[in-house]
Amino acid sequence: MGIMLAAGIAAPAMASDESFQQAFEAARAHQWDQINHDAIQGHVLEGYVEYHELKSRLPGVSPTVINDYLKRYRHSVLSEWMRGVAQDTWGARQQFDDFLAVSDGVPQGTTRQCWYYRALLDREPQRAAIGGRQLWLVGHSQPTACDPLFDRLRANGTIDGADIWSRLMLSWRAGEDAMARYLPDELPDSWQPQRSAFERLQGDPGRITELPGMIRQDTPGASSLYSAAMARLTRQDTAQALTAWGEIKSRAPLTDEQRHDIEHDLAFYSLVRDIDANAQWANAATAQLGDQDLFELKTRKALEHRQWHEVAAWIERMKPDERRDAHWQYWLGRAREQLGDADGARQAWQIAAGQRSFFGFAAADRLHQPYALENERITIAEKDMKDAANLPSMRRIAALYRIGEPGLARAEWYYLMRHLPKAQHPTLTQYALGQGWYDLTIYAAIRGDHWDALDWRFPQGYVDLFQKWGQQRNVDPWLLMALARRESSFNPQAQSPVGARGLMQLMPGTGQHVSQQLGVPWQGVTSLEEPETNVMLGSAYIRDMAARYSGNRVAAAAAYNAGPDRVDRWLADSDEPFDLFIEEIPFRETREYVQAVLTYRAIFEGLARGTTQGVHMMTEHERTTRYNGDLQR
């Protein structure tokens, strides 16, 4: 490992960060006369200025110049960006010789792929045909850049009537009705019988029972029409779909896989929609099909109705590997307990308790035994760590953090992790942890499949802040860490699609409201990216959520994710122990969120203590209280 890392060592840069920042800001603003190249020569980030210069000169730069840049920065995300910009520029201008000259295999992104295969039409027609058909055979619209490619492939017969029909069926099944309206006009005359049959079913898939009289079983495309029509009808009217299936099942020209998929969908929607008329058939089909998602659905339905015999029966039908999961072993134990089988319950819980998960920890609590963390400690040689520090990629990342460009630093890290052999991940992961790059450490641990390296997956990120504000707010600091780990993976600059920001992912409105409550001046949205400010406000918010529910952290965590109004309604409609309350949270995201946060808090505390003896996800009161409206103050 040491030899591999040392091979990439470069001499320390002499140019200052200040000089580089001035040049970088000028490059971003296209103020080329303000760039002092002599002042930044040798700086580890010099390629960022050159990237902006080359980008601005396109398309007036030769592929030779671009390829030279790509070679020099092949270990940086800059190469990926530069290649993409050049491809976009030359592809849009139909300069396909230049496009191919900088391409390295099939590019990322549908638009670039369409340009790529269009460029190959007269050079490698067979490859262009294969790639173009793959882009055609999807159930949604493609970018307009693909139209010339598709036109050529249809004109030369590569995309034929069968391909047009296949895309029509995919689109109709996917609910892309606009495509399903225009594609029939593209079918050749020889497909008129299929088109007529489709147009009868298009507005009313319930007419599928008439289909055997419309087209023969050996008609091309018949099986996909039956399959797509059943999919549409099942979602539209599941009861009618089952009746129709009973009429056509023996006559429909379907493969075994298509029949399985149809019956799976019928069973799934019958169960989800609680269609009484379909219940007996759905139960029998679920048992016969043997699909795990249907077994899980039946188990949850049985739990919902407290049918403990059914809970045990459906779990025991699962395949051994699926059944051994802590989730299902926990509920198997609960079912056996309710049925008076104490020994069987303990046996199931013992299997669950050996697993590091919410239900594994819940089972361990029932057995009064410590949680199984199974922490794998990976030791990295000191020499390898020193070599890692001198890698150009590590020096770039460190420099980007120094100049206040954490987003670019992460882009460099993600690129490195995607392209670096997994055997080399551990050294760089440990190095990132030592630098306090906590979110990069977590990303690398997961990317490298180091699921048991808990020091990497659950680093003690910003622990002093969480301890400080936990004490000041009288809030469990391990809960604060667990929330931040789930919300942002300890990325202070994290932003969600809806605008939540920072370590604890506070919405700006929430941050401003909590600031006013605390009498603290609101410093604006960007202040939420400052760890101190974010944890100060986030700890106050979760404290208020806990106070709303008599100090109960389970309900508080649910409210942090889904909002207190929803949790108020869930509690008002409930009167259950913690496990059933959590299992029946209507939103899957919130259900998984609560389980993860409680699990993470136990892991953080266990790692800090060096043992899980005496560590619990929940207090005794949280484990034994009834979850109902009485929790609300």
Side-chain angles (χ1 to χ4, degrees), residues 542-592:
I542 191 65
R543 176 200 61 192
D544 293 345
M545 291 299 98
R548 184 185 185 104
Y549 302 110
S550 307
N552 188 285
R553 295 170 302 171
V554 177
Y560 199 92
N561 177 259
D565 291 341
R566 289 193 180 97
V567 176
D568 289 350
R569 292 196 296 272
W570 298 341
L571 288 169
D573 294 336
S574 175
D575 186 24
E576 304 295 346
F578 80 90
D579 51 5
L580 284 167
F581 172 74
I582 293 173
E583 185 72 43
E584 293 176 354
I585 289 175
F587 296 166
R588 178 177 179 176
E589 177 193 333
T590 304
R591 190 164 63 241
E592 293 178 349

Side-chain angles (χ1 to χ4, degrees), residues 163-301:
D163 291 327
I164 296 171
W165 178 260
S166 293
R167 193 176 190 195
L168 171 60
M169 293 297 99
L170 289 169
S171 302
W172 191 42
R173 176 188 287 270
E176 294 284 343
D177 292 336
M179 284 189 66
R181 283 192 293 271
Y182 90 80
L183 279 172
D185 293 335
E186 306 299 318
L187 288 166
D189 292 342
S190 59
W191 284 76
Q192 186 58 43
Q194 295 94 318
R195 175 179 177 174
S196 297
F198 166 71
E199 289 175 343
R200 286 195 197 180
L201 298 179
Q202 191 173 11
D204 181 9
R207 298 184 69 181
I208 191 173
T209 54
E210 303 171 18
L211 193 52
M214 299 181 200
I215 56 175
R216 293 169 44 182
Q217 288 192 355
D218 60 355
T219 301
S223 64
S224 59
L225 180 56
Y226 274 95
S227 178
M230 278 302 305
R232 293 279 296 206
L233 182 57
T234 298
R235 288 157 179 76
Q236 178 178 304
D237 187 334
T238 309
Q240 183 185 5
L242 181 58
T243 301
W245 180 239
E247 292 186 35
I248 67 168
K249 179 179 179 179
S250 62
R251 295 180 289 166
L254 296 164
T255 65
D256 289 343
E257 182 179 358
Q258 288 172 324
R259 291 177 185 276
H260 183 103
D261 290 346
I262 288 170
E263 295 197 338
H264 173 277
D265 282 0
L266 280 168
F268 179 84
Y269 283 99
S270 296
L271 295 171
V272 168
R273 293 171 175 173
D274 287 319
I275 300 175
D276 291 338
N278 292 12
Q280 185 175 354
W281 178 90
N283 286 342
T286 297
Q288 182 178 4
L289 292 168
D291 293 337
Q292 177 65 17
D293 64 331
L294 295 180
F295 287 151
E296 292 181 9
L297 183 54
K298 281 298 299 179
T299 301
R300 287 196 170 96
K301 286 291 181 181

Side-chain angles (χ1 to χ4, degrees), residues 328-385:
W328 307 117
Q329 286 298 310
Y330 177 85
W331 286 116
L332 181 59
R334 285 280 274 121
R336 288 173 175 173
E337 178 189 50
Q338 292 293 320
L339 297 171
D341 182 5
D343 290 341
R346 284 192 296 272
Q347 183 182 37
W349 287 333
Q350 197 63 57
I351 295 172
Q355 301 174 47
R356 185 180 58 242
S357 68
F358 172 79
F359 286 102
F361 291 175
D365 282 335
R366 287 189 170 272
L367 296 171
H368 306 290
Q369 64 187 45
Y371 300 157
L373 288 190
E374 303 297 330
N375 185 20
E376 177 189 8
R377 298 187 183 278
I378 300 174
T379 302
I380 306 298
E382 185 64 28
K383 182 180 185 303
D384 287 347
M385 293 291 287

Side-chain angles (χ1 to χ4, degrees), residues 508-526:
T510 302
Q512 185 173 12
H513 176 70
V514 174
S515 292
Q516 292 171 348
Q517 281 187 322
L518 297 173
V520 176
W522 171 241
Q523 300 297 324
V525 173
T526 56

Side-chain angles (χ1 to χ4, degrees), residues 489-518:
S489 291
F490 295 140
N491 175 2
Q493 290 81 34
Q495 294 187 31
S496 78
V498 296
R501 294 200 179 208
L503 288 174
M504 299 187 70
Q505 287 292 277
L506 292 173
M507 292 294 291
T510 302
Q512 185 173 12
H513 176 70
V514 174
S515 292
Q516 292 171 348
Q517 281 187 322
L518 297 173

Side-chain angles (χ1 to χ4, degrees), residues 22-44:
Q22 292 172 354
F24 194 27
E25 290 171 6
R28 281 172 159 170
H30 293 192
Q31 297 171 342
W32 312 118
D33 59 341
Q34 300 297 311
I35 298 174
N36 184 343
H37 285 280
D38 291 337
I40 65 171
Q41 186 175 5
H43 194 282
V44 71

